[in-house]
Amino acid sequence: MSEPNKKHLALVTGASRGIGASIARKLASEGFHVLVNFASSQEKAQKVVDSIITAGGSAELCGFNVASSQAVDEAIERVTKAYGVPVSVLVNNAGITIDGLLARLKDEDLDKTLDIDLKGAIYCTRAVSRGMMRARAGSIIQISSVIGEMGNAGQSAYSAAKAGLIGFTKSVAKELGSRGVRANVLTPGFIATEMTQDLTEAQKEVMLRNIPLGFVAEPEDVANVVAFLASSASRYITGQVIGVNGGLYI
Ligand SMILES: NC(=O)c1ccc[n+]([C@@H]2O[C@H](COP(=O)([O-])OP(=O)(O)OC[C@H]3O[C@@H](n4cnc5c(N)ncnc54)[C@H](OP(=O)(O)O)[C@@H]3O)[C@@H](O)[C@H]2O)c1
């Protein structure tokens, strides 16, 4: 762990690539010391940390599997002890999707999706909430999906997990609001990352036809909204679902 040098800690789960990496870079550019989480892609996560430091920001690796409540609790305890301050901003971005028709959905695929996409976010939120409540400040941002709002054939487990995040976050916002802690959900649409690169041209074309703004977003389009929710400029916003979807779901 590098020398503590910033008072405002931001933890971004699944920050080794894609949307999470972009969020980590953006929050670092806003002055946060960013804890760059990953599960297995340590080399990629290290590159994200290096790029932040090269750009004059502050970050370090914080590897753990969000699906393990024990690993989550240990990691949060370790960083908050090391810095002597609680995590100020938590971005629950880590996620996977295992697509397939409902009739063929395997128990293990359902469990894995719920464990990472839903329970992982709950474990992380629970772990940071204790310090945030004591500090009477904090912003929790969930990266859900437009699929959690509108559903999608072949993505029933993923949409269940992502919809679950919405109900969970509304409860957290109600429970922690009086302690100065805010919680909001982003529901991205079609973002160009490794998660979406395997879509066929035909699938991409169908998607684009349904997006009023007519283009695929970049991870930065999500990161910019996260930065707003992490800042005091959004101090009166909590419990909200904010679509970053080019109008795909209105
Ligand atoms: N791309 C889109 O169009 C889109 C749209 C809507 C919502 N989203 C959501 O946005 C988030 C990021 O998506 P993305 O497209 O950037 O995905 P991605 O490129 O596949 O990256 C996923 C990230 O999650 C991490 N991760 C996976 N399992 C983990 C675990 N158990 N513990 C900790 N980290 C874990 C991965 O790290 P490791 O490699 O180390 O496991 C990786 O950093 C996801 O929650 C996704 O559902 C994406």
Side-chain angles (χ1 to χ4, degrees):
M1 196 174 282
S2 61
E3 197 56 31
N5 57 356
K6 290 271 165 82
K7 284 277 180 228
H8 294 290
L9 305 180
L11 169 61
V12 184
T13 68
S16 59
R17 60 176 183 267
I19 295 171
S22 180
I23 293 170
R25 289 194 190 97
K26 181 69 184 174
L27 291 180
S29 77
E30 300 285 322
F32 287 95
H33 176 69
V34 180
L35 306 163
V36 173
N37 168 257
F38 63 95
S40 55
S41 309
Q42 177 158 354
E43 236 171 81
K44 284 187 180 170
Q46 185 61 53
K47 281 190 183 146
V48 175
V49 169
D50 293 346
S51 71
I52 288 172
I53 292 171
T54 303
S58 173
E60 70 187 55
L61 288 181
C62 186
F64 58 86
N65 175 5
V66 298
S68 160
S69 68
Q70 197 188 334
V72 169
D73 286 346
E74 283 171 6
I76 302 299
E77 207 188 313
R78 198 169 57 239
V79 281
T80 49
K81 256 196 192 147
Y83 287 88
V85 289
V87 171
S88 307
V89 171
L90 166 68
V91 185
N92 282 313
N93 165 81
I96 60 159
T97 177
I98 305 173
D99 298 346
L101 296 176
L102 176 64
R104 296 202 200 119
L105 177 63
K106 294 190 192 125
D107 287 358
E108 63 256 38
D109 291 346
L110 173 62
D111 287 345
K112 197 169 175 201
T113 305
L114 295 176
D115 283 350
I116 295 174
D117 293 9
L118 180 58
K119 288 167 75 180
I122 295 175
Y123 295 148
C124 292
T125 303
R126 182 178 61 187
V128 301
S129 70
R130 301 168 185 132
M132 285 180 172
M133 282 195 288
R134 270 196 301 276
R136 305 193 85 78
S139 177
I140 297 161
I141 300 149
Q142 320 286 6
I143 307 299
S144 172
S145 168
V146 71
I147 304 304
E149 298 175 290
M150 59 190 268
N152 195 22
Q155 289 198 301
S156 54
Y158 181 71
S159 64
K162 293 298 188 181
L165 276 179
I166 295 175
F168 170 66
T169 306
K170 289 181 178 180
S171 295
V172 171
K174 288 188 175 180
E175 197 170 314
L176 305 188
S178 64
R179 311 289 194 95
V181 180
R182 298 182 294 112
N184 291 288
V185 193
L186 292 197
T187 52
F190 190 2
I191 319 291
T193 69
E194 282 180 32
M195 192 179 261
T196 47
Q197 75 184 4
D198 292 337
L199 292 175
T200 63
E201 282 311 311
Q203 284 171 316
K204 284 183 189 166
E205 231 180 273
V206 172
M207 279 279 233
L208 279 174
R209 232 180 287 137
N210 290 307
I211 299 172
L213 289 182
F215 64 92
V216 176
E218 296 300 324
E220 291 69 30
D221 293 305
V222 178
N224 288 337
V225 185
V226 169
F228 167 66
L229 289 174
S231 77
S232 59
S234 60
R235 67 179 197 151
Y236 208 50
I237 300 178
T238 196
Q240 302 306 306
V241 182
I242 300 169
V244 185
N245 61 34
L248 174 61
Y249 178 73
I250 294 176

